[in-house]
Amino acid sequence: MTHTKLRKLKISYGDNHALKEINVDIPDKQITAIIGPSGCGKTTLLKSINRIIELSEGVKVRGEVLIDGANIYGKDADVLALRKKVGFLPQRPCPLPMSIYDNVAFGPRIHRLSEEQITKQLEKQKTNGLVKKEKSKKYQDYSKMDHLVEHYLKLAGLWDEVKDRLHSSASKLSIGQQQRLALARVLAIEPEVILADEPTSALDPLSAKLVEEQFKLLKKDYTIVIVTHILRQARRIADYVMFMYLGELIEHGPAEKFFNAPQKDKTKEYLSGEIS
Amino acid sequence: MKRKIKRSEIEEKIFKILMIVSLAIVLLSLIGIISVIVIKGFSALSWSMIFETPKGGYYLGKEGGIANAIVGSLYLAFGALILSLIVSIPLAFALQKDYLNKKIANLIRVLLDVLCGVPSIVYGAFAFIVMMHFMIRASLLGGIVTLALFMTPIMTRAMDESIRLVPAELKEASYSMGATRFETSFKIVLRQSLPGIATAVLIAFGRGIGDAASILFTAGYTDSIPTSLFSPVASLPLAIFFQIATPIAEVQRRAYASAFILLAIVLIVSIITRYLSSRFSRYNLS
Ligand SMILES: Nc1ncnc2c1ncn2[C@@H]1O[C@H](COP(=O)(O)OP(=O)(O)OP(=O)(O)O)[C@@H](O)[C@H]1O
Ligand SMILES: [Mg+2]
């Protein structure tokens, strides 16, 4: 059973119909890769899942995106709650103008998490086993928020690199580190779905690898949708693939089937590199 | 091929010369103004000038100082600055596309630009008519309000321009975490545009504290330091005007000394503002 379903989703920018009737179920706790040539509507589709698309000018959304059975574009839908549930990782990391620590604490702070809520959230996190527990550490003078920041920086694979300079500026980090910080920031709001728009395209191969590895770990606990134009990356990490072309969803299915036995001609052409 | 390279080189040269000439004009006039003020005014500058109010016959060259105008100008400019800030910050944010439709925002921008071009004497005359109607005397309050009217469009537009430069991705990052518009504006955008906002405040402050025409009818002039918002108040620009208009050389020198003091105030305020803004923006994206 999946929690995220797109039904007859159509999006246009003025007269430009960027998305034409998208119907798809996004599988839970897997990595779904959206692939397709430039300008085919990958970003538009991704941004429609947490309504960040509405920040663009002249955009019109029709159809439904159902999350847990409710249409997120419905009249009484709560956008802020939705965005807490569906985190978004942009193409270019954009650290907030504050310290590394405050970047991670930003989400929990704006959502006004109480100490008990933080404790509960961290307890739940412990059960997923993604971050190894360390024993001999003095935690008396740590606040709940300190624990939270440490946890999510570890979860994003950044902790060891920044633990000694948590209060220095986030914009001084390298681009690769900034992207993992953005990941930590998104994880800290405890989303169920993580949307990532070409999260490695601004990174060097090594940093890209780190982020990919992190995603592979995280899918155990999160539903991940990633836009990529690198076919090899999709092959490496995707469990499910959506191929888009000129605003249409041409083909979608489990990665193995998609790559080994594509059904549509367009898909075959794209996979063989005839269209790009 | 060869000719093209040559032409672009000439363009480059001409532009370079233009830049140097412009820079020279600005720098030379600045140096000129400052040296005239210093040369003519420095001999008249004294502690009593700064700390004493005018005694009888001050404008004939006798004892006293212009503490009334210094304090008056500070009251006026800071009072107006606070009023302007209260109006300008929400207004500048409202002009962003997060809040207002682009067309409406651009219309308001045009209106504000027109208001920036209205000479300050018109603000003074307008406020004077209103004050006459309600039988309000020229006073500190009247001056502050008029000056704030004059400063607000300048401050708002300068803030608006710097807020517009905040990258859309930064706002997107904030919204995508479930931040509200208010949180995005005041926790993210304000921080990021703080240096620009500080500059806006400085520009408006400089224009305000140096303006004579808007407060000519509305703030009045007096030899004493005001004790309430409803008493008239002296100001440095008017002090300069009155002193320079006398035929007495000694008093004219004092006018230049007053200008020197005005300059010093603007300089001090600008250094403090820049220091504070660089402190608060040390986390900013570059
Ligand atoms: N803000 C916008 N205003 C108007 N048109 C837009 C806007 N954003 C995207 N479009 C148009 O919508 C279509 C889909 O764009 P989108 O950014 O979703 O493509 P994409 O698949 O993400 O491309 P890329 O791989 O280059 O990032 C394109 O034709 C694009 O020109
Ligand atoms: Mg894109």
Side-chain angles (χ1 to χ4, degrees):
Chain A
M1 132 120 205
T2 77
H3 290 85
T4 316
K5 300 171 180 173
L6 277 53
R7 289 292 175 266
K8 290 189 179 172
L9 185 69
K10 286 182 246 178
I11 296 180
S12 53
Y13 300 97
D15 300 332
N16 178 2
H17 297 281
L19 288 188
K20 296 160 194 153
E21 281 238 5
I22 306 290
N23 290 292
V24 66
D25 291 1
I26 293 169
D28 290 341
K29 308 215 169 162
Q30 292 192 10
I31 298 179
T32 299
I34 306 179
I35 58 172
S38 183
C40 68
K42 304 184 294 292
T43 301
T44 307
L45 178 64
L46 196 70
K47 285 186 175 175
S48 70
I49 304 175
N50 77 344
R51 292 183 62 174
I52 228 44
I53 191 72
E54 291 175 321
L55 300 179
S56 306
E57 260 167 76
V59 73
K60 197 164 172 205
V61 181
R62 273 161 303 174
E64 295 182 329
V65 175
L66 301 164
I67 293 185
D68 294 328
N71 179 17
I72 62 169
Y73 288 96
K75 275 218 173 66
D76 45 358
D78 179 350
V79 192
L80 302 185
L82 165 73
R83 289 178 182 160
K84 187 175 179 311
K85 209 158 159 183
V86 184
F88 178 77
L89 202 60
Q91 185 164 3
R92 223 160 42 97
C94 213
L96 306 175
M98 43 185 83
S99 67
I100 295 169
Y101 183 102
D102 290 336
N103 260 269
V104 182
F106 182 76
R109 279 180 185 149
I110 58 171
H111 292 293
R112 298 196 177 72
L113 290 196
S114 64
E115 297 230 322
E116 290 95 85
Q117 283 169 309
I118 294 179
T119 312
K120 244 165 89 190
Q121 185 170 319
L122 289 177
E123 284 300 323
K124 212 182 114 221
Q125 277 285 328
K126 265 184 207 153
T127 61
N128 70 18
L130 287 175
V131 170
K132 281 192 210 87
K133 248 200 294 195
E134 282 170 55
K135 280 174 214 151
S136 56
K137 225 175 175 188
K138 274 186 243 137
Y139 273 146
Q140 289 100 319
D141 42 346
Y142 271 40
S143 75
K144 281 279 171 269
M145 193 60 90
D146 293 344
H147 282 290
L148 179 141
V149 169
E150 176 174 346
H151 177 85
Y152 287 103
L153 283 171
K154 281 180 177 164
L155 195 54
L158 185 62
W159 172 254
D160 289 330
E161 290 155 66
V162 299
K163 60 183 178 209
D164 301 321
R165 47 171 173 156
L166 289 176
H167 294 283
S168 66
S169 169
S171 50
K172 302 251 155 58
L173 294 172
S174 78
I175 303 289
Q177 291 171 328
Q178 287 181 8
Q179 193 61 305
R180 277 176 285 146
L181 179 65
L183 182 59
R185 200 172 64 207
V186 170
L187 290 171
I189 57 173
E190 198 62 3
E192 293 166 17
V193 183
I194 297 169
L195 310 171
D197 190 359
E198 305 195 24
T200 61
S201 66
L203 312 186
D204 60 278
L206 203 68
S207 308
K209 192 115 202 283
L210 282 174
V211 171
E212 271 180 29
E213 291 304 320
Q214 222 54 47
F215 277 138
K216 279 202 225 163
L217 288 176
L218 290 170
K219 74 174 179 187
K220 200 173 154 211
D221 226 35
Y222 301 85
T223 301
I224 296 170
V225 186
I226 173 175
V227 165
T228 177
H229 64 263
I230 313 166
L231 266 178
R232 263 177 301 147
Q233 184 174 53
R235 283 181 203 271
R236 276 198 300 269
I237 63 173
D239 303 302
Y240 197 85
V241 184
M242 294 164 61
F243 169 59
M244 307 207 27
Y245 189 75
L246 295 179
E248 280 176 83
L249 182 58
I250 305 288
E251 186 168 351
H252 58 97
E256 199 145 323
K257 188 161 160 270
F258 181 91
F259 287 118
N260 295 329
Q263 305 293 311
K264 303 273 166 59
D265 291 342
K266 270 273 175 290
T267 316
K268 286 176 198 159
E269 283 172 37
Y270 184 73
L271 290 180
S272 66
E274 280 170 50
I275 46 175
S276 60
Chain B
M1 200 55 202
K2 225 176 179 178
R3 267 184 60 192
K4 239 186 187 162
I5 292 170
K6 240 182 162 177
R7 206 185 125 175
S8 66
E9 270 175 7
I10 293 173
E11 281 172 358
E12 184 102 347
K13 269 232 165 74
I14 293 177
F15 192 61
K16 206 170 161 187
I17 292 170
L18 266 176
M19 290 200 295
I20 291 171
V21 171
S22 317
L23 198 66
I25 292 173
V26 171
L27 277 182
L28 285 179
S29 15
L30 195 67
I31 292 169
I33 292 171
I34 292 176
S35 29
V36 167
I37 290 173
V38 171
I39 291 164
K40 290 205 142 191
F42 204 74
S43 62
L45 206 60
S46 65
W47 292 120
S48 64
M49 177 117 190
I50 298 173
F51 291 112
E52 285 175 22
T53 53
K55 303 274 159 10
Y58 172 79
Y59 296 100
L60 300 170
K62 299 253 174 64
E63 301 270 281
I66 49 154
N68 59 327
I70 297 174
V71 175
S73 263
L74 290 175
Y75 280 172
L76 282 166
F78 278 104
L81 191 72
I82 289 165
L83 274 190
S84 280
L85 265 175
I86 293 171
V87 179
S88 294
I89 289 189
L91 189 53
F93 274 102
L95 289 175
Q96 308 312 310
K97 64 169 187 238
D98 314 55
Y99 294 90
L100 266 185
N101 173 302
K102 211 173 172 181
K103 275 187 193 145
I104 299 174
N106 281 338
L107 189 72
I108 298 175
R109 288 195 175 105
V110 172
L111 287 176
L112 286 171
D113 286 343
V114 170
L115 285 177
C116 289
V118 170
S120 58
I121 186 88
V122 178
Y123 284 94
F126 166 74
F128 182 62
I129 291 170
V130 175
M131 285 165 70
M132 289 273 282
H133 184 78
F134 292 104
M135 314 247 271
I136 303 170
R137 278 193 315 151
S139 59
L140 179 56
L141 186 64
I144 287 178
V145 173
T146 316
L147 214 50
L149 281 179
F150 170 63
M151 285 158 65
T152 300
I154 301 169
M155 200 190 281
T156 306
R157 281 295 279 131
M159 282 182 182
D160 173 34
E161 288 302 330
S162 78
I163 295 173
R164 270 210 279 182
L165 289 180
V166 173
E169 288 112 327
L170 190 56
K171 289 203 250 180
E172 194 178 86
S174 169
Y175 284 124
S176 72
M177 303 196 61
T180 60
R181 280 197 300 195
F182 180 80
E183 285 159 345
T184 304
S185 298
F186 285 88
K187 297 199 167 132
I188 306 295
V189 178
L190 185 67
R191 258 169 195 260
Q192 179 67 25
S193 54
L194 210 56
I197 286 179
T199 308
V201 169
L202 265 184
I203 293 171
F205 179 82
R207 291 288 298 277
I209 201 168
D211 193 66
S214 63
I215 50 175
L216 187 57
F217 315 122
T218 54
Y221 201 86
T222 164
D223 282 350
S224 54
I225 290 170
T227 48
S228 90
L229 276 172
F230 304 101
S231 41
V233 58
S235 54
L236 278 168
L238 290 179
I240 296 171
F241 176 68
F242 292 141
Q243 294 176 112
I244 218 161
T246 63
I248 302 157
E250 171 58 21
V251 181
Q252 281 179 1
R253 267 199 293 281
R254 287 177 184 168
Y256 287 103
S258 311
F260 184 84
I261 293 168
L262 186 54
L263 219 61
I265 291 174
V266 174
L267 187 69
I268 290 166
V269 170
S270 113
I271 290 170
I272 293 172
T273 315
R274 291 212 181 277
Y275 171 73
L276 289 179
S277 117
S278 74
R279 262 201 72 95
F280 287 121
S281 61
R282 63 180 185 276
Y283 291 132
N284 279 14
L285 288 172
S286 40

